[in-house]
Amino acid sequence: MICSLQLIRLTFRRTLPLFLAPIVSAYLVLPLIAAAGLASGSWETALENLTYGEQAILPVGGLLWAFAYLQVWVDSDGEETMRACRRGKHVCAAELLMLNIGFAVMLLPALVAGTLFFRPLWTEYARLIPQGFFFTGLFYLAAILLRSVTMGGMLVLVYHLFCVFFCRNVEMRGYCLIRPDALANEAAFPYIPILLSGAAMYLLGAWRESRPVRQ
Amino acid sequence: MLEVSHVEMRFGQKKVLRGVTLTLRQGVYGLLGPNGSGKTTLMRCIAGVYHPAAGTIRTPERIGYLPQRFGMFKQLTVYETMAYFAALKQIPARAQRNEIMECLEQVHLADRAKDRMGALSGGMVRRVGIAQALLGHPELILADEPTAGLDPEERLRFKNVISNLRGGPTVVLSTHIVEDVESNCDHIVLLYGGTVLTEGTADDLRARAAGKVYSVPADKRCLLQQPYHLLREEAETGTLRVLSNLPQPGNLAAPTVEDGYMLYIRGRT
Amino acid sequence: MIGSIRVSNRVFYRGLSLVLPYGLVLAVTLMSLIRLTQGVLSPVDYLTDSLKLGEFGVLYFALAGYELTSMLRKLGGQECLSAIPGAQCGLLFSHILTLLPLLAAWSAVIFGGQAICYFRQGLDYPPYLLHCLLAVILYCLLPGLDGLLLGACLEQVGRPAAYGTIMLAILLSSSVCDELFAGGSLFGVSPMAVFDWFYLTVPNGNWTADASYGVPMELCRWCLAVFWCLVLTAVLLWQYRRDGGRAVSIAAAVLLAAALLCAARFALRGEDDLLLKDSRPGGILSSEYQYRADHPTGDLGAADFSVEEYDLKLTAKGALKVSATVKLSRDDLREYRFTLYHGYEVLSVTDERGEALSFTRDGDFLDISAPDGAKTFTVHYNGKGWKYIANAQAITLPGYFPYYPMPGHLALWADGSAQSVTGLPPARFRVEAATPQTVFSNLPKTGRNQFEGVAETATLYAGLIDETERGGVSYICSPVGREQVESIDLERTERLWQEWCETTGETRTLDLVGKKVFIQPDTISNCGKGDSESVVVFDDHILLANMNSTPETICAYYLLKSLPSDAERGLLRDVFRQDLVVGIGNWSGEKPDYDALQILREYPSMNALNEIGDEEQWFAAVEQYTSASEQFHTLYAWQCSQLGRDTVLREVYQYLKDSTPCQDQVTFLYDLGGAC
């Protein structure tokens, strides 16, 4: 575990902007958005804007951490050497899970501050965590199967954009996991299926990664 | 003919080339020097990859360049890669096929022409690099660490390739492997710290070290007189090969190019 | 170059790492287009929704552009190419040329979706197809190209930084920033002043498409897309100037100069009349409200003169420019009072001799001083008309809106909504409109975009508009709108009006037969529309701003038009309107409790709840208000069951007509029929 944390730390040392981007989003951009909504004189506007912002930015923000870590193990020049150090048995799932947990922990102070100054945001938090878990799992599985973080990332980003732009369309809404247009308690969110799907993708990805490469 | 006149190159505050002046005519030249002496930078300046901060470089029109690190698109076949370089070098389309196969023959890859670059080993990719440098009958061939990654058999073949080029283009081989220079090159240019230490032949380097190389029994190590430089320990014979201006307790040994090289380098440190 | 193109094509198509994602993007595009066609969408709604797919193009082509151009550098082959003059430059542009057909194909798929929707709905309006084509180019092809060029510019950058930059570019170029920041301002400056420079894809997810206007495609938007293309290409050329030689440096400089011209034009967009339907301070959703809050209406009053002739020369390009020559009925006055919408800046006023006359502008009022009297004025003015847009893309100038000087000081705004100006004496109008669009008017046509005739006013429409005849009635409306106009039975409408007049005691007449019907654009309905604008009747034409124009809605809105539109009785007006149009029905259960309706007495409308400062209390109040509103509807239905619908209609109508009611709406409805 210590070794995993060290690996994560070393990865982020060289990809600092990617590490900082979700933090800046959560602690600077979202408060600005909420403040702008309050300045317009309406709690409703502030809440709508905040929901839109956190749904549009945070799930994909969490993906940046996974991307920064995984691209070293999948696409980089040193990938071969690193895997050889681990005798070909390294699986990134554990570190990605740690990143998910870290992301959730990172958001907690923002959540507490939002609850204190604004309103209880536990339901939004409870929605964000499975979304992030699902997206990371999907990204991990796609990147391992396709052996490319480009393809894995593109898959997830296309879906994310699809949700952001079509969540208001009656025909498409059913396909959207991300709902910037609705509060967590307004939009029926399938917590259990999403968590299970995310877990399944993690397991599949880990299994595939642990198998030796065959010509 | 290649003329390099007072060329300077710096990266930030660090001066990598300090007023290098060279005139290279026909023949095979070895650019020898330790790591960080500026060999690759000088090669890149000659190839036109870098633009020197000062000085001038006059080169022939047709240049073949093999960089230190060579790689091409994995999706292309060997033939397609060569065809691409042939097109870039403006070789007429009708003449391309023959030239490409000729160059591939020289590096013994003609039978792998249809294989994808991604399927080749590192050494084979390097050979493709050598082949593309030979395309177009260049008047100047620049090869930076040409034998890196080649097995002994391939190194021998490379030697033959260079031999076959004698009397044709000017060839400049940049390397820190003294054996390559000794076996392939007519002339040697010694580079150190961004400047040219000396130019000459292999014999010149050997002559420089004549009378200064000693073979000293290992048990007489304590009798060695400073200053000296330990070239190597030969465990099988139990002797030390030592370089020194002062007489040492041992026999004088026949100097090699490496000894001459070390004499120059040690003289600068 | 051909060799480079061949290499680039082979590298792209033989490697799955870029082809598969393209397939994915294409699949998602196709699936979305198909799914959208299954919904009940008007062509213009379909167009707006499908153009959102443009963002996928930015994403894919930016990433693909980056991966393809940086591939050789990662493999270590770049140095070899850099020794051959022009090789790197050639390969770079070959990569771009490899991706361009894919971009074109994907854009063509989106356009194909529009065409399918068009033919499926049996439309016969070719200008709309051209509109779709241009929209796809502006919102899909050009942003995709910008993404591609951005990816190529990032070629030397490491992957994490490149991907981060691309994701930031996607966020900035999409509607996300508009959704989040449009309504706010920082130190008096709207953030959109900055974000608009990156906003390349179709505006705003919340955008309700306007069928007459279509998708916004003003000149400044084209300039923005082209600006980024030019800038990014210039950056690319500059990066390879050593490799490409002097010609490349010159080309980069030329492109940069052209980009600056485009940037300058975009920077001047503040002068243009743009349909900005988001909540930014200058947008149509909030600007007029803010203006009216800051500038209360001045002294109203009828004119002591009338206008005999109007000669209007309009130019609608970036914004509206008008030269209005007004011939008056009398020339002995020293001051002439007019109303001209405040958004138009009066540049000069001259008399018939060409001499300048002094004038004052106070909000919507224009007062012209003529010490020696004058028979004819020529007023030069230009500007923007809020939701009554006039630019190269569309013109929406209904005759009840003072886009030309109307005699007297007239009220254009009351109780939070726009008011229509009617009842002016007829005049002779000569109108000439210089615009690329075909203009439709109530006036007889004398040439292309030229009209002349005697009428109360001149209504001018242009854009995605056509004139059709159904059931002997001439309709001027958008053929691609949400509501495909069915034949409105004007005779039945008149009969229904008679019935309602008998029930409610209304005395006005509603003569519709023989008049042209203008179905107003959605923007009129969606923004600041009060009852006054819903149905406007002139001698020769009618303007309808309803979503569903049926005899019931026309009569209901015309009935409500004359009522005061105070917020204190807004809820009762809504219920009354609902009963007229669809019927509230009867409620034979228990009468709702008066106490349950208390919140409606304290906060007569939903907007009034915004006075509540505490956030928790606000949420609680919203819940209570919603419940109380439902009870109010039930109370109305209960009264109908007790007193009869006709009685309720009459009593409520008389109450709503009263400008000084003695009871609040809740107490009135509760005690319906009781004395004050």
Side-chain angles (χ1 to χ4, degrees):
Chain A
M1 167 127 164
I2 303 289
C3 187
S4 297
L5 286 171
Q6 206 172 6
L7 280 173
I8 293 171
R9 187 180 69 87
L10 287 168
T11 304
F12 282 126
R13 272 181 70 180
R14 58 177 284 274
T15 54
L16 208 52
L18 290 185
F19 173 71
L20 290 176
I23 299 175
V24 167
S25 304
Y27 288 92
L28 189 63
V29 175
L30 288 183
L32 275 175
I33 290 167
L38 284 172
S40 72
S42 162
W43 287 108
E44 195 179 356
T45 308
L47 187 60
E48 277 173 11
N49 284 359
L50 190 64
T51 307
Y52 190 92
E54 53 96 353
Q55 282 287 286
I57 298 172
L58 288 182
V60 81
L63 197 68
L64 288 178
W65 286 7
F67 173 80
Y69 185 78
L70 204 58
Q71 73 104 17
V72 172
W73 287 91
V74 173
D75 264 338
S76 71
D77 287 340
E79 177 237 342
E80 199 180 325
T81 313
M82 287 163 69
R83 287 196 185 272
C85 290
R86 289 292 188 94
R87 315 291 264 176
K89 289 192 174 70
H90 180 79
V91 161
C92 296
E95 284 88 18
L96 291 177
L97 267 172
M98 282 187 203
L99 288 173
N100 273 147
I101 294 167
F103 188 72
V105 168
M106 183 275 289
L107 284 180
L108 264 177
L111 167 75
V112 170
T115 302
L116 284 173
F117 291 111
F118 195 46
R119 69 185 300 268
L121 297 170
W122 301 108
T123 49
E124 296 302 327
Y125 186 75
R127 180 166 63 162
L128 267 175
I129 303 310
Q131 284 171 341
F133 182 68
F134 177 84
F135 274 127
T136 314
L138 178 62
F139 172 61
Y140 174 48
L141 179 63
I144 292 297
L145 282 179
L146 301 170
R147 279 191 247 166
S148 164
V149 287
T150 306
M151 287 205 275
M154 213 175 288
L155 185 75
V156 177
L157 285 174
V158 165
Y159 178 65
H160 174 260
L161 283 180
F162 175 86
C163 293
V164 170
F165 296 134
F166 288 102
C167 57
R168 288 193 177 92
N169 185 289
V170 169
E171 294 299 320
M172 311 286 221
R173 189 177 291 162
Y175 301 112
C176 297
L177 191 61
I178 291 185
R179 291 288 306 276
D181 64 317
L183 297 170
N185 51 10
E186 287 169 11
F189 185 76
Y191 292 90
I192 304 295
I194 292 306
L195 281 169
L196 289 175
S197 307
M201 286 190 282
Y202 263 96
L203 288 170
L204 267 171
W207 171 75
R208 186 65 188 89
E209 196 183 358
S210 62
R211 288 180 65 208
V213 175
R214 286 194 171 84
Q215 288 295 330
Chain B
M1 186 166 88
L2 169 67
E3 275 182 25
V4 177
S5 177
H6 300 98
V7 161
E8 287 182 12
M9 187 70 194
R10 62 176 75 88
F11 295 111
Q13 297 301 314
K14 188 179 173 193
K15 237 182 183 174
V16 178
L17 295 178
R18 303 161 192 266
V20 172
T21 300
L22 284 175
T23 302
L24 306 182
R25 294 185 173 78
Q26 222 176 28
V28 182
Y29 290 80
L31 196 59
L32 191 61
N35 293 332
S37 58
K39 302 189 301 296
T40 297
T41 306
L42 179 61
M43 294 289 265
R44 285 174 178 166
C45 285
I46 296 169
V49 177
Y50 290 161
H51 288 253
T56 55
I57 299 176
R58 267 184 51 202
T59 62
E61 229 179 84
R62 296 193 308 277
I63 298 179
Y65 177 51
L66 173 65
Q68 195 171 30
R69 191 177 163 223
F70 175 80
M72 271 305 280
F73 297 114
K74 290 178 181 169
Q75 296 89 342
L76 299 180
T77 63
V78 171
Y79 184 87
E80 285 165 351
T81 302
M82 294 294 289
Y84 177 49
F85 280 104
L88 288 174
K89 293 184 179 187
Q90 296 175 324
I91 296 172
R94 262 174 282 171
Q96 274 184 16
R97 182 162 181 85
N98 287 341
E99 272 219 45
I100 289 167
M101 294 314 292
E102 203 182 294
C103 292
L104 287 177
E105 282 286 349
Q106 283 193 290
V107 295
H108 299 276
L109 279 178
D111 54 339
R112 303 295 297 262
K114 288 185 182 161
D115 291 352
R116 298 227 175 154
M117 293 290 287
L120 301 183
S121 68
M124 287 179 183
V125 171
R126 197 104 187 109
R127 280 149 64 186
V128 174
I130 296 168
Q132 65 80 23
L134 298 173
L135 265 179
H137 302 292
E139 294 161 292
L140 171 66
I141 296 177
L142 304 165
D144 196 350
E145 310 282 354
T147 56
L150 298 187
D151 60 39
E153 195 181 343
E154 284 310 316
R155 288 161 75 123
L156 200 58
R157 287 206 188 108
F158 178 73
K159 188 181 166 186
N160 292 336
V161 167
I162 299 299
S163 302
N164 292 340
L165 290 172
R166 278 205 167 80
T170 306
V171 180
V172 181
L173 307 178
S174 160
T175 179
H176 61 274
I177 302 171
V178 182
E179 289 86 17
D180 283 348
V181 167
E182 203 169 356
S183 58
N184 291 320
C185 302
D186 307 324
H187 310 273
I188 297 172
V189 175
L190 203 53
L191 209 59
Y192 184 84
T195 52
V196 175
L197 274 186
T198 187
E199 284 180 61
T201 62
D203 287 338
D204 292 338
L205 276 177
R206 279 190 215 102
R208 183 76 172 86
K212 291 175 184 155
V213 181
Y214 294 88
S215 185
V216 175
D219 54 359
K220 289 192 182 167
R221 184 196 289 265
C222 52
L223 300 176
L224 286 168
Q225 288 190 64
Q226 290 285 357
Y228 69 90
H229 174 68
L230 179 65
L231 289 168
R232 59 181 175 273
E233 282 192 41
E234 285 158 8
E236 295 123 7
T237 54
T239 55
L240 307 172
R241 194 175 175 89
V242 162
L243 185 67
S244 176
N245 283 324
L246 299 175
Q248 302 292 345
N251 301 323
L252 276 172
T256 63
V257 172
E258 190 178 353
D259 297 334
Y261 165 76
M262 287 309 299
L263 190 63
Y264 273 104
I265 300 302
R266 294 306 298 173
R268 296 293 294 199
T269 57
Chain C
M1 190 68 184
I2 294 175
S4 299
I5 293 172
R6 217 176 274 146
V7 160
S8 179
N9 275 309
R10 282 174 185 152
V11 166
F12 179 83
Y13 288 104
R14 286 182 189 173
L16 287 181
S17 64
L18 294 174
V19 175
L20 272 184
Y22 180 73
L24 168 73
V25 168
L26 210 55
V28 170
T29 302
L30 275 169
M31 187 211 86
S32 305
L33 289 171
I34 291 167
R35 202 78 185 89
L36 285 171
T37 53
Q38 289 167 353
V40 183
L41 287 177
S42 68
V44 75
D45 279 324
Y46 182 86
L47 174 63
T48 312
D49 273 346
S50 62
L51 287 176
K52 291 174 190 170
L53 297 165
E55 200 60 26
F56 293 169
V58 178
L59 169 67
Y60 172 77
F61 287 100
L63 291 178
Y66 170 72
E67 290 292 336
L68 197 55
T69 53
S70 65
M71 197 184 288
L72 192 62
R73 178 176 58 81
K74 288 170 188 158
L75 291 169
Q78 201 178 38
E79 194 180 335
C80 216
L81 252 57
S82 57
I84 304 170
Q88 279 184 292
C89 211
L91 186 63
L92 171 79
F93 284 98
S94 300
H95 288 322
I96 293 172
L97 287 174
T98 296
L99 290 172
L100 276 179
L102 298 172
L103 175 61
W106 169 75
S107 303
V109 165
I110 296 176
F111 176 68
Q114 315 304 329
I116 289 172
C117 179
Y118 174 89
F119 289 113
R120 265 186 86 182
Q121 302 220 355
L123 294 172
D124 181 21
Y125 187 61
Y128 180 68
L129 272 182
L130 178 64
H131 182 83
C132 290
L133 180 65
L134 292 173
V136 168
I137 292 172
L138 179 59
Y139 290 118
C140 297
L141 188 76
L142 286 177
L145 180 60
D146 290 332
L148 171 54
L149 292 170
L150 174 67
C153 285
L154 294 171
E155 182 251 325
Q156 300 281 339
V157 171
R159 187 178 270 147
Y163 275 46
T165 307
I166 288 167
M167 283 175 62
L168 182 66
I170 286 164
L171 276 177
L172 288 175
S173 66
S174 71
S175 59
V176 169
C177 291
D178 190 43
E179 293 255 10
L180 293 173
F181 298 110
S185 73
L186 212 57
F187 308 114
V189 176
S190 170
M192 292 313 294
V194 172
F195 291 130
D196 271 345
W197 281 89
F198 306 93
Y199 197 174
L200 290 172
T201 48
V202 73
N204 195 308
N206 255 335
W207 197 291
T208 306
D210 189 305
S212 312
Y213 200 83
V215 172
M217 287 196 288
E218 302 91 353
L219 177 62
C220 60
R221 293 189 196 270
W222 289 94
C223 286
L224 180 68
V226 171
F227 162 73
W228 283 110
C229 282
L230 293 173
V231 158
L232 292 169
T233 309
V235 167
L236 261 182
L237 289 176
W238 190 252
Q239 280 178 352
Y240 288 94
R241 65 190 183 283
R242 286 233 171 97
D243 187 53
R246 201 184 158 92
V248 164
S249 304
I250 293 171
V254 167
L255 287 174
L256 201 59
L260 286 173
L261 284 173
C262 289
R265 182 58 186 87
F266 183 73
L268 291 172
R269 70 196 182 284
E271 305 291 311
D272 293 344
D273 198 358
L274 301 177
L275 191 59
L276 296 168
K277 284 167 73 170
D278 53 23
S279 49
R280 66 179 73 196
I284 65 167
L285 295 181
S286 64
S287 62
E288 191 68 11
Y289 295 93
Q290 192 58 51
Y291 175 85
R292 296 297 173 184
D294 296 339
H295 299 85
T297 306
D299 293 329
L300 303 174
D304 39 13
F305 62 92
S306 63
V307 175
E308 289 180 355
E309 273 183 35
Y310 280 101
D311 192 341
L312 305 175
K313 290 186 172 55
L314 297 90
T315 305
K317 292 216 171 110
L320 185 67
K321 275 190 200 151
V322 183
S323 165
T325 302
V326 182
K327 186 177 172 189
L328 307 171
S329 60
R330 50 192 295 195
D331 62 356
D332 56 338
L333 297 175
R334 296 292 168 262
E335 191 173 78
Y336 295 86
R337 304 198 302 171
F338 291 93
T339 299
L340 178 68
Y341 180 71
H342 66 85
Y344 299 121
E345 186 194 349
V346 177
L347 304 171
S348 67
V349 179
T350 52
D351 63 12
E352 59 264 27
R353 293 181 293 273
E355 284 174 16
L357 297 172
S358 65
F359 59 92
T360 54
R361 204 75 169 104
D362 177 20
D364 296 316
F365 304 147
L366 167 65
D367 297 337
I368 301 172
S369 298
D372 302 324
K375 182 76 171 165
T376 308
F377 297 129
T378 300
V379 186
H380 294 275
Y381 56 95
N382 60 22
K384 306 180 226 185
W386 181 37
K387 62 180 179 176
Y388 306 102
I389 201 145
N391 59 23
Q393 190 164 339
I395 293 175
T396 304
L397 296 174
Y400 60 76
F401 170 68
Y403 69 91
Y404 61 89
M406 291 182 177
H409 282 185
L410 309 167
L412 302 188
W413 188 267
D415 299 318
S417 60
Q419 302 296 307
S420 58
V421 175
T422 55
L424 293 174
R428 170 162 286 282
F429 283 86
R430 211 173 293 115
V431 178
E432 208 176 296
T435 171
Q437 305 287 340
T438 301
V439 179
F440 297 87
S441 176
N442 58 303
L443 299 169
K445 196 166 181 164
T446 56
R448 191 189 182 259
N449 291 351
Q450 291 174 339
F451 308 90
E452 188 170 345
V454 175
E456 278 181 72
T457 187
T459 290
L460 301 173
Y461 272 29
L464 292 175
I465 301 256
D466 204 8
E467 187 165 355
T468 52
E469 202 158 302
R470 284 199 195 98
V473 179
S474 183
Y475 296 91
I476 291 157
C477 61
S478 172
V480 294
R482 200 162 292 111
E483 302 300 328
Q484 295 301 308
V485 173
E486 300 300 325
S487 178
I488 298 174
D489 189 340
L490 294 180
E491 283 178 17
R492 186 167 97 74
T493 307
E494 284 186 358
R495 282 198 304 274
L496 185 65
W497 175 255
Q498 284 299 321
E499 282 171 36
W500 285 5
C501 283
E502 281 161 23
T503 305
T504 60
E506 175 57 55
T507 55
R508 287 178 297 151
T509 58
L510 178 62
D511 300 317
L512 303 172
V513 173
K515 297 182 180 177
K516 258 186 198 176
V517 178
F518 285 79
I519 306 294
Q520 296 225 63
D522 300 324
T523 306
I524 302 292
S525 314
N526 294 340
C527 185
K529 185 200 80 165
D531 294 331
S532 173
E533 269 191 295
S534 302
V535 179
V536 185
V537 180
F538 292 107
D539 286 346
D540 56 351
H541 67 290
I542 311 158
L543 295 124
L544 300 176
N546 298 334
M547 294 293 279
N548 288 302
S549 292
T550 61
E552 285 76 14
T553 58
I554 293 171
C555 290
Y557 280 105
Y558 196 63
L559 194 65
L560 287 158
K561 190 183 160 77
S562 64
L563 302 177
S565 52
D566 52 305
E568 285 73 25
R569 290 177 288 176
L571 191 57
L572 184 58
R573 264 199 315 280
D574 286 341
V575 175
F576 179 67
R577 181 190 304 119
Q578 197 180 334
D579 189 25
L580 287 173
V581 175
V582 298
I584 290 274
N586 293 337
W587 171 253
S588 51
E590 288 283 317
K591 185 178 184 182
D593 186 27
Y594 184 71
D595 291 334
L597 304 168
Q598 281 309 304
I599 191 168
L600 299 178
R601 297 186 68 211
E602 204 180 331
Y603 302 103
S605 68
M606 188 68 109
N607 284 341
L609 292 175
N610 286 334
E611 294 164 16
I612 300 172
D614 183 79
E615 188 251 326
E616 266 192 51
Q617 283 178 12
W618 180 85
F619 277 103
V622 165
E623 259 191 69
Q624 247 187 305
Y625 184 93
T626 311
S627 167
S629 297
E630 285 166 20
Q631 292 292 305
F632 192 79
H633 279 71
T634 307
L635 177 63
Y636 186 98
W638 186 87
Q639 294 288 19
C640 285
S641 69
Q642 298 296 309
L643 304 171
R645 185 172 177 256
D646 283 356
T647 304
V648 172
L649 281 174
R650 182 173 47 252
E651 294 294 323
V652 169
Y653 183 68
Q654 294 301 325
Y655 169 77
L656 289 173
K657 209 169 169 179
D658 188 354
S659 54
T660 52
C662 57
Q663 291 172 307
D664 60 270
Q665 59 186 347
V666 174
T667 307
F668 164 78
L669 189 62
Y670 201 83
D671 300 333
L672 187 59
C676 289

